[in-house]
Amino acid sequence: GFDIQSKCANDSSPITRSKNGLYNFNPEPAEILSGVLKNNPISGIMFSRLIRLLFNKRQSIDWWRYKHRIVGLIFMSVFNSFLSLVEGWYIISLYASRETRELIQQAKNDDQCPVFILGHPRTGTTLLHSLLALDEERFSIFDTFMVGFPHCFLSFERMGKFLFKNILSPTRPMDNMKLHFDLPQEDELGTNILSGCTVSPYNSIIFMREEEQYRKYQCFREGEVEAEDEKKWTHWFRYLIAKVKIRDLMRKRKKEEGRSPRQVLLKSPAHTGRVRLLLKNFPKAKFIF
């Protein structure tokens, strides 16, 4: 979650709400305003999807105020697109080997349903996620790099964690908890990037003044969300889970630790409102609230 009190900790002006119930955010301090990619939740987006996003939101962007961020994201998205191509060739190369081909098929056919940690922001879900993630024999998780760069973590994870390490602050801005690429992270960030920042409530982090239009993606209630939007989110969510299972099997093969993936442990506060959709995709899923 985003802590408005932390955001305005050094600002004496009162926190007020507008008529539509949204917070009136105070101007960003200089050190945040001058950042290009620092802690940017869409640093891993591909070029074509970024251009489409910028075009669709052209009237909602303060182009001059954030010109350095836009230019930085464009250059980064070009590199991400190249890495995505490399990842595609890497996956194709895996099919050349019978053993790895069988591992990929096994990951796709794995019937272990995920374990979802549910709860509203700021209620201890991150702590619980971190504690359960310590059980490395039972669970596989999404770390910060994997959800930040979901297009390329199979082939570029080790190098990417070194090259991009300065993108992250040492601690999270809202609560001073440690922040680095190896820590467990919310899977919804990765699904949002893969879908082109179109069908996730996390888009309100980027377009705060349009938070209301993204609320429907908290729950995906029938009649509120287009069937195509639900299909799009589901596709990329399942794709992300399949990739983490492939990664898990590849690592277990190197260590000779067996040939079945671990159970995937997931935590995103947004999942709390979409249990119906999660059960639709994973009827045997387990939930911790």
Side-chain angles (χ1 to χ4, degrees):
F2 187 85
D3 189 346
I4 184 63
Q5 296 285 356
S6 176
K7 173 78 172 178
C8 305
N10 297 319
D11 196 317
S12 59
S13 56
I15 300 170
T16 59
R17 292 192 182 193
S18 58
K19 293 181 179 179
N20 60 7
L22 303 180
Y23 283 110
N24 291 319
F25 286 89
N26 294 308
E28 295 177 302
E31 62 270 20
I32 297 179
L33 185 60
S34 61
V36 178
L37 296 174
K38 200 74 168 180
N39 299 336
N40 195 311
I42 60 171
S43 293
I45 195 170
M46 290 175 59
F47 177 75
S48 59
R49 290 168 184 168
L50 176 63
I51 295 303
R52 190 179 300 116
L53 178 67
L54 293 177
F55 178 78
N56 291 336
K57 295 295 183 181
R58 61 191 181 276
Q59 295 181 343
S60 305
I61 299 173
D62 295 326
W63 292 89
W64 181 251
R65 185 180 183 86
Y66 297 110
K67 57 186 179 298
H68 55 299
R69 291 187 186 176
I70 296 168
V71 172
L73 278 173
I74 289 174
F75 278 103
M76 190 67 184
S77 68
V78 172
F79 187 51
N80 291 330
S81 296
F82 169 74
L83 293 176
S84 179
L85 289 175
V86 173
E87 180 108 318
W89 283 107
Y90 174 72
I91 294 175
I92 291 174
S93 70
L94 294 178
Y95 278 95
S97 167
R98 179 180 178 181
E99 183 180 5
T100 53
R101 186 166 61 247
E102 290 177 352
L103 286 177
I104 292 174
Q105 195 59 43
Q106 185 178 353
K108 290 181 178 179
N109 296 334
D110 179 56
D111 60 356
Q112 290 188 89
C113 287
V115 175
F116 294 92
I117 297 174
L118 307 180
H120 295 289
R122 320 308 303 149
T123 60
T125 54
T126 298
L127 175 60
L128 180 59
H129 190 201
S130 299
L131 290 173
L132 290 177
L134 295 175
D135 188 353
E136 297 181 354
E137 292 186 6
R138 177 175 297 181
F139 297 120
S140 62
I141 54 108
F142 288 98
D143 62 30
T144 304
F145 182 84
M146 294 163 66
V147 300
F149 297 90
H151 296 289
C152 62
F153 66 78
L154 288 180
S155 58
F156 193 66
E157 182 177 359
R158 185 174 180 180
M159 181 65 71
K161 286 181 176 179
F162 173 75
L163 290 179
F164 301 150
K165 60 183 179 181
N166 291 326
I167 285 181
L168 299 178
S169 298
T171 59
R172 304 197 314 181
M174 73 286 285
D175 54 19
N176 288 328
M177 288 187 66
K178 288 184 178 180
L179 179 63
H180 56 75
F181 279 136
D182 293 316
L183 288 175
Q185 192 54 264
E186 299 175 13
D187 54 279
E188 184 73 11
L189 291 166
T191 306
N192 184 41
I193 291 175
L194 288 169
S195 65
C197 303
T198 54
V199 290
S200 171
Y202 283 26
N203 291 321
S204 60
I205 300 174
I206 311 164
F207 302 103
M208 295 184 180
R209 287 176 295 197
E210 299 182 359
E211 181 272 339
E212 282 185 293
Q213 66 180 255
Y214 296 116
R215 291 180 187 176
K216 58 185 178 182
Y217 300 122
Q218 293 276 5
C219 302
F220 282 90
R221 292 193 181 96
E222 293 183 12
E224 291 184 5
V225 177
E226 298 289 337
E228 191 62 30
D229 286 347
E230 181 178 318
K231 182 179 179 181
K232 186 176 185 179
W233 182 89
T234 300
H235 168 76
W236 289 116
F237 180 56
R238 296 184 69 97
Y239 170 83
L240 195 61
I241 291 179
K243 281 191 74 171
V244 77
K245 289 184 176 183
I246 292 173
R247 172 185 179 270
D248 192 35
L249 283 175
M250 295 294 292
R251 292 196 165 197
K252 293 184 74 173
R253 185 192 67 158
K254 289 182 179 179
K255 297 179 180 179
E256 300 181 352
E257 294 180 347
R259 297 178 62 86
S260 60
R262 295 170 294 174
Q263 198 166 16
V264 181
L265 178 67
L266 301 169
K267 172 257 175 180
S268 290
H271 292 328
T272 306
R274 54 172 76 132
V275 173
R276 177 194 62 82
L277 178 58
L278 297 176
L279 286 173
K280 180 179 177 181
N281 285 278
F282 305 102
K284 297 181 180 180
K286 297 180 180 180
F287 300 92
I288 303 173
F289 180 75

